[in-house]
Amino acid sequence: MERLLRRREVQNLTTLSKTTLYAKMKTGEFPRPLSLGKQPVAWRASDVEAWIHAQPERAAVA
């Protein structure tokens, strides 16, 4: 069974703020969540992990 992540978990894993997370979803740069009812949503863990692994490595600050 697929593990579902709530917004705070997604933010912790991706280090994205809530505003940035939703902005990236709007532009298609981040996976959209699944609706769990009237308002609650959750992301598939596999979608979030795939997004994280697809990001370019951040350059180390010297």
Side-chain angles (χ1 to χ4, degrees), residues 4-19:
L4 298 177
L5 305 172
R6 298 304 296 261
R7 183 181 47 83
R8 289 227 185 250
E9 292 176 284
V10 172
Q11 285 181 253
N12 288 337
L13 288 171
T14 62
T15 69
L16 298 175
S17 70
K18 179 181 175 181
T19 303

Side-chain angles (χ1 to χ4, degrees), residues 39-60:
Q39 286 188 324
V41 296
W43 286 259
R44 289 181 187 95
S46 59
D47 291 345
V48 174
E49 290 169 9
W51 181 87
I52 291 169
H53 292 297
Q55 300 310 296
E57 293 291 326
R58 295 184 181 178

